[in-house]
Every structure is written in structure tokens, then in C-alpha cells.
Amino acid sequence: MTNPLLAPWDTPFGLPPYDLIEDAHWMPAAEAVLSEAREAIEAIAADPEAPSFANTIAALEMADEGLGRVFGAFYAMAGADSSPARQALQRDFAPMLSAHTSWVIGNRELFDRIDALWLARETLDLGPEEARVLMLTHRRFVRAGAKLEGAEAERMAEIRARLSVLGTQFSQNLLKDESSWTLPLSEADLADLPEGLRSAARAAGNEAGPVITLSRSLVVPFLQYSPNRALRRQAFEAWIARGMNGGETDNRAIAAETLKLREERAKLLGHDDYASWKLETEMARTPEAVRELLQAVWTPARAAANADAAIYADMLHADGHEGPLEPWDWRYYAEARRLTEHEIDDGTLKPYLQLDRMIEAAFSVAHRLFGIEAREIEAPVYHPDARTFEITRGGEHLAVFVGDWFARPSKRSGAWCTTMRDQHRMGGQEVRPLVLNVCNFAKPDEGAPALLSFDDARTLFHEFGHALHQMLSDVTYESISGTSVARDFVELPSQLFEHWLEVPQVLREFATHAETGAPMPEALMEKMLAAANFDQGFATVEQASSAIVDLEFHCGAAPADPMQRQAEVLEAIGMPRAIVMRHATPHFAHVFSGDGYAAGYYSYLWSEMMDADAFEAFREAGDPFDAETARKLEAHVLSRGGSEEAGLLYERFRGAMPSVEALLRGRGLAA
């Protein structure tokens, strides 16, 4: 029987043929494409011709085309629609891919060719992109241990393999904890909740009755609105206990081993610690620069949070509760205060923030800024909830965009953007990207419209900003395409795009009532926008504390007990007792499911320095849709991927790098 993964994909725009793929097809396809990639790389390494950019670097870029196709399709599905069979495949694939990477990095003949080109780079007459790709390729090999030999090289391969296994296990443990817990609710428990939350709880429980799950789109509004303090505590404690329940899904030992292995890897490569190694290639460059940013943010955020905590404690006591304000109280009293001070709550707003209308809004903003059009199409998808769109500009195909917005037990938590294929022009082809946005919004009852909170809508815009970075990419080489940029630059396009959700003319057109179709009243819109920075002390403390702990985990010796080290760091910075880290260690997937954000969670705040300043460029032009400013943004940021250093790209757009004051002003925390 033909394996559809290995046959030509006769699908719209080369999308994966999910309608034909069975779980049994993945392993044979994986083995086949890994073998093909190995043969291609062996041919490059053994080429009798002298190394050139074309026969070594460009050839290496194309050597894993089949591998990228198969695994791109698999991992897009595995994160959003998992199953026991797919989790087993992930566990099997992790060491296979790690072994392949170690073999490539350890191929001495291949690295000698790359090294020879690097040493002769001044004589090669390379264009800017080629020079950049050569530098990045050489740096990637060196930083992965290509210069190590003997026992050190073997140990590096072992570390890489083990880290891959640990990251996969961390993610799967977290998914199991999140999907296995529910809080059943009675009709009395539902009585004081907004209608949208009642509907979502009923939908989550199906025929078993209403429940709260550990999906953020359910548990957070429950903590905001439930007057039942005991139930709030029960939900909150389950939420923060993910990954540390003491059983087979406990992630604490995985985190400890991961940190130890990262330290060892950094030292094998000649660095004092993992943070110094990791930050070397980021915009920040050093742990000291990151600490400076985080301290500048932490001080005013903590002061604001402590002032708010005193107010919420008084509200708690006025309700007849004794003792201190607790973490399961904060959101409830913050929401009550928001209603009092701004006369606004999510129950009032949600009918105006329909998912379908917010999707239209994101497409419309992208059209007005960059001229793109979106048309929904029929295509094979891995789950019926996923929707597929062709993205065009001037009648020409630009990309395929897949949106998978609803929460389900088979989907890991959070929101993310990924690709099943990246943009490039290698080998004379014009390859356009296949881009996927995944969110976890509460699914409504059948036939009812999906309603979002303002934070949900912001998340949708955020992830679509990442998608634009991929869809507008215009480079030759895949390794510098789209979001292949410094980690502390990658959040700039996503966080910048969030700003258009707050543009009144966007809201006037797309924030329409789910039942009446009427636009959001101007007074309500003004209240919503005035409250946009409400409770920013809490939000910033949540985020900055996670970034601080992440950094300290990776500076100096790895802690034997990460939970103890986490507690020490939080005590040292004076963490408010009624706020917890946004991502505590056992469920800090950004840091422990892989190393993308390890020693790099600060990057959201670093990018926010730029996104606040970048949107200011449109304000200075007098129009949030100013055509020339949008052209410069695309030309110097969104289309260029990693073709130049991130700081140079930003300065070309804006003229200079911003200071942390732009971030603090944006969050309403400036003095």
C-alpha cells in the first residue's frame, strides 16, 4: 500500500493529505526521509569538488526538504490533536531526530567544508543573504559542538539526545494533567457566572454536566467571576499543580535534569553557564543586559501590584472573609473593582467580541496595512475545527493560513504559531508558506457564536502577527525565513499587531453584537480601551517573575532542586504573596518542553520595548494605517526574516532602538 506521506501530495497548495494519513504511516515515512536526508548530506560531505557556497551551504539547506515536509506535518498535528498513538510516536521521534542532528554536527568532512568556506569568506564574492547564511550555518555547527572531538563529542550527542527525550516527556506530562482534571459544577454554582461562561462550562462537560477544565479560557474567567471562594481555591490549586502531582506526570525531576544537562552542554562549549551561551546570539547578548531590563520593569510593577493588593484585601474583608488575600482571590476582586471603576466586565464585552468577527478584523487590518486578501477554502485538516484560508495579494498566491482556535482535551494548552512549510526560493522554486495558528478558546454550544474576552481577542491578533511574519517573508534561504530570528526579536511582529485591536475604527466595524448585530456603543468602547491597562501590576509581576526565575535557573550552577531555587529567587525579589508566576517550573513549557525560550522568556518584554515604539511610528504619521509606515515595516522587518541582525532591521525601520520607558508607558507603569 502506498504511504500517502511519501507519495506526491495532490492537495490544495501542497497541504499535508491529513484525510489519507493514518498513524501507522508516520514511522515508515520518518525512517524514509531521515535516510534520504542522510544520503544527501553524505553526498555533500564526499563531493570531490572544492567546497563552494552552492555545493555545500545551499545544498545543505535543501538536504532535509523531505524531512521538513513529513515532520512539519506531524508536529503541527501532534501539538493540536494528540492521542496515545501520536504521543508514542513523539517519544520515538525525539531520539531519532536527536541522533540525526548529532550525526550531522559530528560529520567531520561536512564541517571541514563549512569551515573552509568560513575561513575564505572574504574571497567568495557572496551577496548579503549568502554571507548571512554562511555565518549562521558555521555558527550553528560550532555552537552545537562541531569542534568537539572524542569523548566530549560523544557526551554532547548524549546530552542532546537526552534533552530531546526530556522535553517531549515534559510536554506530554503537562497535557495529561491538563486533560484529566475537571471541576463539576451544579446549577447553583453556575448561577452567578456570565452566560458565556455557563455555556462554555456546559459545552466542556458535554452530557456529563457543566465542568471547569484547566484550559485557560475556562479557568481564568471562573476565577474572575465565581463568588464561591472554596471552588475558586479548588480550581486555582489544580491549575498551579500541573506537572507536580507526585505521580508519573510529575515534571520536577525532569526540570532538574534538564537544567543540569544544559549547564554541562554550555561548559563543553567553553561557557561559564547556559545563559551566557544562549544569550550570545540574541539581541540582549548578556545576562547582565537582561537583568537590567527585568529590574527596570519589576520595580514599578511590584509597587503597583502591592498597592492593588491592599485594595483587594479590604474588599475581601468587607465580604466577611478573614485572613490575607490569596492568589485565588485576586482575579475575582480585580474584576469586581474593574466593574466599579470602569463600569465594564467581560460579560458585557463578550457579545461584541465574536470569534468570527475578530478573525475578519485581523484579516481586514492585514489587508489595509499590507494589501493581502483571505479566502476560506476546502482542504484536508487534522481536526474538523481547523479552518483553511488562501492568502493572496494582487491576485497572486502568498500563503495558506490554517486557524485552529478552540480548546479540546487533545490539544496542549496555550497559543502558538507554527509552519508546515516555510517560505523560500531555493533550487529555483518559489515556495510559499503553510502557516498554522493554534489557540484554546472555549467552544460554545452547537449553533451558538463563539465569544471572546478582550484578552482572547488580543491573543488571536498576537498569533496572527506571527503568521504575518511567516506569510510576508521574502528571502531565498529557508534557514533565514519568517520567524527564524533572534528569540528576543521574534515577538515584535506579534505584539505589534495586537495594537490594532485597540484602534477605534477597527472596533467600530468588527465589534458587533452577537444577537443584534449592533456595533459596540462608543461609551462602552471608550470604557474598554480606558481599562486596557487595568491591573497591569498583576500582569507584569506574573510575567516578569517567570522571566527572572528562568534567567536565574540558567545563570551559574544548575540548581539540584529547581523548586527550592524558584522559591529563593521569588523571596529575593519580594514576590507579592497573592500573585504566582505565570508559569511555575513544573508547567513552564516555554522553558522545559524545548530550549527555544530557555534563558529567553524575557524576550516578550524585550520585544515589547520595540512594539510600543514601533506602533508610535504610525501615531507619528497620524494614521494607524499609514501606507508608507506599513511599507517600511514590511520592507525592513516582516519580509526580511533573519537575513540581517535584528537590531539593524529594527533601526532601519525606526531609526534607533527604544528604551525601556516605551514598555513602561505602554503598560501604564511609567513614573
Side-chain angles (χ1 to χ4, degrees), residues 92-363:
D92 290 338
F93 287 161
M96 290 169 62
L97 289 169
S98 177
H100 177 74
T101 299
S102 294
W103 175 80
V104 173
I105 296 300
N107 189 313
R108 180 56 59 179
E109 292 78 13
L110 177 64
F111 179 67
D112 285 346
R113 294 177 71 87
I114 296 169
D115 201 36
L117 289 169
W118 175 247
L119 294 173
R121 61 191 179 278
E122 300 297 337
T123 69
L124 299 179
D125 193 27
L126 300 177
E129 270 200 31
E130 286 78 11
R132 175 74 171 168
V133 171
L134 172 59
M135 184 279 289
L136 291 172
T137 302
H138 185 265
R139 186 176 76 180
R140 174 165 57 88
F141 271 70
V142 171
R143 285 173 57 79
K147 290 189 174 182
L148 300 178
E149 297 180 349
E152 289 187 336
E154 291 178 7
R155 180 56 183 158
M156 180 63 79
E158 292 171 356
I159 291 172
R160 186 180 294 111
R162 181 60 178 160
L163 285 172
S164 179
V165 170
L166 290 172
T168 299
Q169 189 63 54
F170 189 98
S171 296
Q172 294 189 355
N173 287 348
L174 190 52
L175 177 60
K176 288 177 184 176
D177 276 2
E178 290 171 346
S179 62
S180 63
W181 185 91
T182 59
L183 175 65
L185 299 180
S186 68
E187 288 301 317
D189 297 328
L190 293 176
D192 293 310
L193 305 181
E195 174 54 38
L197 181 54
R198 293 199 297 268
S199 175
R202 291 190 181 104
N206 294 316
E207 297 180 2
V211 299
I212 296 300
T213 71
L214 295 182
S215 169
R216 180 175 284 271
S217 61
L218 272 178
V219 71
V220 168
F222 183 74
L223 292 170
Q224 286 177 298
Y225 290 109
S226 175
N228 188 320
R229 195 182 189 206
L231 287 181
R232 290 202 313 268
R233 178 174 185 172
Q234 192 174 343
F236 182 85
E237 289 182 340
W239 194 33
I240 64 168
R242 292 168 294 155
M244 55 176 177
N245 286 312
E248 62 178 12
T249 60
D250 199 301
N251 277 332
R252 286 173 287 190
I254 291 175
E257 186 179 356
T258 297
L259 293 172
K260 187 66 177 174
L261 290 172
R262 286 176 179 164
E263 179 194 5
E264 186 180 357
R265 178 167 68 175
K267 288 185 173 178
L268 281 171
L269 296 170
H271 289 263
D272 291 338
D273 53 36
Y274 182 84
S276 299
W277 173 80
K278 180 68 177 291
L279 294 170
E280 186 179 50
T281 59
E282 307 298 332
M283 293 182 74
R285 301 295 184 196
T286 66
E288 291 71 29
V290 175
R291 279 200 190 93
E292 183 179 348
L293 166 72
L294 294 176
Q295 186 58 47
V297 172
W298 177 257
T299 299
R302 179 178 179 273
N306 282 337
D308 289 339
I311 295 171
Y312 301 149
D314 288 343
M315 295 170 71
L316 173 78
H317 298 149
D319 276 351
H321 298 294
E322 297 181 352
L325 183 75
E326 299 289 356
W328 49 88
D329 297 318
W330 190 292
R331 287 177 174 84
Y332 178 74
Y333 287 105
E335 187 62 27
R337 181 185 175 197
R338 183 168 71 144
L339 179 60
T340 299
E341 294 186 0
H342 295 280
E343 299 179 327
I344 190 172
D345 64 12
D346 278 347
T348 304
L349 288 176
K350 277 189 170 185
Y352 292 98
L353 300 174
Q354 300 173 69
L355 172 61
D356 284 348
R357 296 293 278 155
M358 292 300 101
I359 294 168
E360 290 180 48
F363 287 153

Side-chain angles (χ1 to χ4, degrees), residues 352-431:
Y352 292 98
L353 300 174
Q354 300 173 69
L355 172 61
D356 284 348
R357 296 293 278 155
M358 292 300 101
I359 294 168
E360 290 180 48
F363 287 153
S364 174
V365 169
H367 172 70
R368 295 185 65 178
L369 290 170
F370 310 114
I372 70 172
E373 303 275 359
R375 175 180 68 92
E376 191 159 8
I377 61 173
E378 290 293 325
V381 289
Y382 55 79
H383 190 278
D385 285 346
R387 298 167 60 186
T388 307
F389 302 82
E390 182 191 6
I391 307 297
T392 59
R393 179 157 60 179
E396 294 187 3
H397 176 75
L398 193 66
V400 171
F401 172 73
V402 179
D404 181 2
W405 290 290
F406 291 127
R408 54 180 170 266
S410 63
K411 182 187 288 186
R412 65 179 170 89
S413 62
W416 63 93
C417 176
T418 189
T419 57
M420 293 173 275
R421 184 177 71 210
D422 293 328
Q423 178 272 327
H424 66 83
R425 289 192 295 273
M426 300 186 299
Q429 322 174 66
E430 181 67 38
V431 175

Side-chain angles (χ1 to χ4, degrees), residues 342-345 347-353 503-514 516-530:
H342 295 280
E343 299 179 327
I344 190 172
D345 64 12
T348 304
L349 288 176
K350 277 189 170 185
Y352 292 98
L353 300 174
V503 171
Q505 62 204 84
V506 174
L507 291 168
R508 290 187 187 110
E509 182 174 0
F510 295 101
T512 57
H513 197 278
T516 68
M520 181 181 288
E522 289 289 318
L524 180 60
M525 184 195 309
E526 290 172 6
K527 291 175 182 177
M528 181 178 75
L529 296 178

Side-chain angles (χ1 to χ4, degrees), residues 440-509:
N440 270 283
F441 304 142
K443 191 172 183 177
D445 292 330
E446 188 170 349
L451 305 180
L452 306 182
S453 69
F454 191 67
D455 281 345
D456 287 339
R458 196 194 309 272
T459 296
L460 186 149
F461 268 62
H462 178 102
E463 298 307 332
F464 195 71
H466 280 309
L468 284 170
H469 202 181
Q470 297 282 12
M471 295 189 291
L472 295 174
S473 180
D474 185 22
V475 298
T476 300
Y477 299 98
E478 186 173 356
S479 64
I480 55 171
S481 176
T483 58
S484 298
V485 298
R487 182 62 61 176
D488 47 11
F489 189 68
V490 76
E491 298 298 337
L492 168 61
S494 55
Q495 293 178 179
L496 174 59
F497 198 69
E498 293 177 29
H499 287 272
W500 276 275
L501 179 60
E502 298 183 5
V503 171
Q505 62 204 84
V506 174
L507 291 168
R508 290 187 187 110
E509 182 174 0

